Amino acid sequence: MSRYAVGAAAVRDYCARYRDLIDDWPAFAEVIVAPLPTCIWANPARISAAGLSDLLAGEGLVSQPMGWQPTGLRLAAGVRAGRHWWYCAGLAHAQEEASQLPVTLLDLAPGQRVLDLCAAPGGKTAQIAFALDNRGTLLANDFAPERIKALVGNLDRLGVVNAAVTCHDGANYPTAAGQFDRVLADVPCTSEGTLRRNPDQVRRLEGQPSERLAARQRALLRKAVQRCRPGGRVLYSTCTFAPEENEFVVADILAELDGRLNLLPLQVPGLTTAPGVTDWRGRRLDPALEQCLRLWPHQNDTGGFFVALLEKDRTLPCEPDAVVAAAEIEPGDREWLEWTNARFGLSSEAWSAWRIHRQTRRGLHLIAADLAAPAHPRPEGRGLFFQRTNVRPTKLTTAGALLFGPHAQCHRLELDAAQRDAFLGRKTLTPAPAQVRDLTPGQVLVTYRGFALGLAVWHRSGELESLFPRRWSGCTAGSDDAD
């Protein structure tokens, strides 16, 4: 028997505990060991889903629209999105289809104040940011410092400027942060719904009963409700099948709050879903728990997911507003922008929706003009690190170059496909004379098919030195995030 066959048998054996909950066990058993399609969503700030689909077709990649998710596209299983130039350019983010469901159901709109309680690696956070039109206040929190780096990296690549990142225990998120119109609690779980992506994890799951995580999940949902404004909404989600981590957790919090929290019905046109479980291993729940939503892998050829949408009683008293952290600048900070404006022909209109502020000695951050992050918990970062001032001459970061690329009027250098790959691989290249006819030596914004890729230095020798970040080189950063 092959190693794959042994793994497939182990996955099916493990999932057999849910056999009575699944409407079509043979279909489930077949799909749960099949490769998962690659799914991405188009960054609405940079390209439409139709435009991205056409671009992919030109690269020889066939894509299909998701239908229920307007910016989402399906690619063939095995496509490594993170290894492609369009991913590095922040035109798209790789995120499993089922994982794109929670943000779609949050009923987001510009002007809302939103908390993503367990945010890393950042795909859902970025979805929220763009649903808010990249304006206003979004707090992206995660408990693990090592995951914050991936979170910030994804937000920078995609050009998110309305988020403040905090590193705090979500179950004890401070009252000083204020209350929010929407809270996403996509909590840590046993991740059974991701077995198609990583079947080897079944060995870990066999020794990790769901009950062990339930207390933590209840604490996170409880805090999410506390941080929600009266009349606001909390979305609780997991990527696991276990009722102990899903319906049981929701039922326990509903009972604790005794009428101060309402479970809302859910449906997603274009997506086949199942209702919440109300009878499992001797525990019967209120029939209202059927209003939760389950996504079984065989229904839409996805991973597995669970979602519950809760609304807080609007007659409850509101808490005081949070004290806002100051967005400080130092004398002379605005002068750094003059060089950048002059070099790349940026107009004052390019800055109209943003504010600059200094977080570190390294340089300047850009935030949405109306971002009002709380002073506590202290933000690890706000907005996007866009310009280094600790070097001479000052220079845009790669994230800054991606953001400002569409606004630049001069010192843009369009590459061909071979040059693009050399640039992304941090190799030195020599552009043709026609490509550099309108350039003067120094920093240039590098583009491909009109989309910004980053920053380079064109030397008097005729060579182009790539400044693409070493940690992004090869376009592998974040390529495997299911998020």
Side-chain angles (χ1 to χ4, degrees):
M1 186 178 289
S2 70
R3 181 179 179 184
Y4 175 78
V6 172
V11 170
R12 289 193 182 102
D13 288 346
Y14 175 85
C15 291
R17 75 190 297 256
Y18 303 116
R19 188 166 187 152
D20 292 342
L21 301 179
I22 298 169
D23 62 340
D24 188 342
W25 171 257
F28 175 91
E30 180 180 353
V31 166
I32 196 63
V33 295
L36 192 65
T38 296
C39 293
I40 61 176
W41 50 263
N43 182 345
R46 292 180 182 165
I47 194 170
S48 67
L52 180 59
S53 182
D54 290 344
L55 184 152
L56 296 176
E59 304 273 321
L61 294 172
V62 177
S63 63
Q64 295 179 335
M66 285 182 187
W68 65 273
Q69 209 286 67
T71 65
L73 296 173
R74 277 188 168 208
L75 285 66
V79 174
R80 299 289 298 274
R83 295 188 180 276
H84 291 268
W85 71 269
W86 40 266
Y87 186 92
C88 298
L91 302 185
H93 186 70
Q95 189 173 355
E96 205 276 302
E97 182 169 353
S99 187
Q100 298 183 38
L101 184 60
V103 174
T104 305
L105 295 171
L106 255 178
D107 189 27
L108 295 161
Q112 294 170 342
R113 190 170 191 262
V114 182
L115 169 63
D116 187 351
L117 199 58
C118 309
K124 296 182 187 70
T125 310
Q127 281 185 289
I128 294 171
F130 295 124
L132 300 177
D133 199 26
N134 215 1
R135 296 183 283 125
T137 301
L138 165 60
L139 259 62
N141 177 71
D142 206 87
F143 179 61
E146 64 274 12
R147 288 168 59 83
I148 293 293
K149 186 175 181 180
L151 168 63
V152 172
N154 279 320
L155 298 183
D156 280 357
R157 176 177 55 83
L158 294 165
V160 172
V161 297
N162 66 338
V165 175
T166 60
C167 185
H168 204 280
D169 177 9
N172 292 295
Y173 209 71
T175 303
Q179 291 185 305
F180 298 82
D181 302 293
R182 299 288 185 268
V183 181
L184 174 61
D186 184 56
V187 301
C189 64
T190 48
S191 303
E192 295 165 337
T194 68
L195 280 168
R196 294 183 65 183
R197 186 166 55 92
N198 185 15
D200 287 343
Q201 74 171 330
V202 74
R203 299 185 181 92
R204 173 184 62 82
L205 292 174
E206 289 169 345
Q208 186 177 346
S210 294
E211 294 87 345
R212 191 175 299 169
L213 283 169
R216 174 72 176 165
Q217 292 160 342
R218 283 193 297 271
L220 286 164
L221 180 53
R222 186 180 298 116
K223 180 56 66 174
V225 173
Q226 290 173 0
R227 292 299 90 234
C228 182
R229 282 192 177 125
R233 293 183 178 183
V234 174
L235 192 136
Y236 175 82
S237 61
T238 77
C239 57
T240 201
F241 305 133
E244 296 92 339
E245 302 179 60
N246 296 330
E247 290 90 351
F248 285 13
V249 171
V250 175
D252 290 345
I253 298 303
L254 285 169
E256 282 183 19
L257 294 176
D258 190 24
R260 290 170 287 172
L261 195 63
N262 297 310
L263 187 61
L264 301 181
L266 291 173
Q267 60 178 355
V268 184
L271 198 64
T272 302
T273 61
V277 172
T278 58
D279 190 349
W280 173 249
R281 298 200 167 184
R283 182 175 176 183
R284 292 193 175 184
L285 304 178
D286 188 315
L289 269 296
E290 289 187 353
Q291 294 181 113
C292 300
L293 184 149
R294 279 178 167 265
L295 201 62
W296 295 100
H298 67 286
Q299 294 174 317
N300 306 275
D301 193 17
T302 65
F305 227 82
F306 170 86
V307 177
L309 184 61
L310 303 154
E311 187 172 76
K312 193 169 181 179
D313 185 349
R314 63 181 62 252
T315 66
L316 294 170
C318 291
E319 295 178 4
D321 291 337
V323 175
V324 176
E328 299 177 349
I329 59 174
E330 296 182 356
D333 275 347
R334 295 192 184 280
E335 296 175 9
W336 296 109
L337 307 184
E338 295 178 4
W339 187 94
T340 301
N341 287 343
R343 180 69 185 177
F344 300 112
L346 300 175
S347 68
S348 58
E349 293 181 2
W351 302 89
S352 59
W354 304 317
R355 288 184 292 154
I356 64 166
H357 75 113
R358 180 176 289 277
Q359 294 181 27
T360 71
R361 302 309 308 166
R362 293 187 305 153
L364 301 174
H365 278 68
L366 201 68
I367 61 175
D370 52 352
L371 171 59
H376 187 71
R378 184 183 64 82
E380 298 289 314
R382 284 172 286 169
L384 181 147
F385 181 42
F386 80 99
Q387 185 158 350
R388 292 189 179 275
T389 60
N390 61 344
V391 294
R392 298 293 185 277
T394 182
K395 68 175 183 179
L396 292 173
T397 64
T398 297
L402 298 183
L403 187 67
F404 283 106
H407 303 279
Q409 300 299 314
C410 57
H411 289 107
R412 292 167 56 105
L413 174 58
E414 177 75 6
L415 303 182
D416 61 30
Q419 293 171 330
R420 172 203 71 199
D421 292 341
F423 170 80
L424 295 176
R426 294 176 53 84
K427 297 177 181 178
T428 299
L429 56 141
T430 304
Q435 290 177 284
V436 295
R437 181 170 47 234
D438 298 326
L439 304 183
T440 58
Q443 296 176 21
V444 295
L445 274 166
V446 172
T447 64
Y448 177 69
R449 297 183 63 170
F451 296 103
L453 294 179
L455 201 66
V457 176
W458 184 50
H459 295 282
R460 294 185 183 279
S461 64
E463 291 187 330
L464 186 75
E465 177 189 358
S466 171
L467 298 183
F468 196 72
R470 190 177 303 278
R471 62 188 175 89
W472 286 10
S473 189
C475 298
T476 56
S479 60
D480 293 324
D481 290 341
D483 198 18

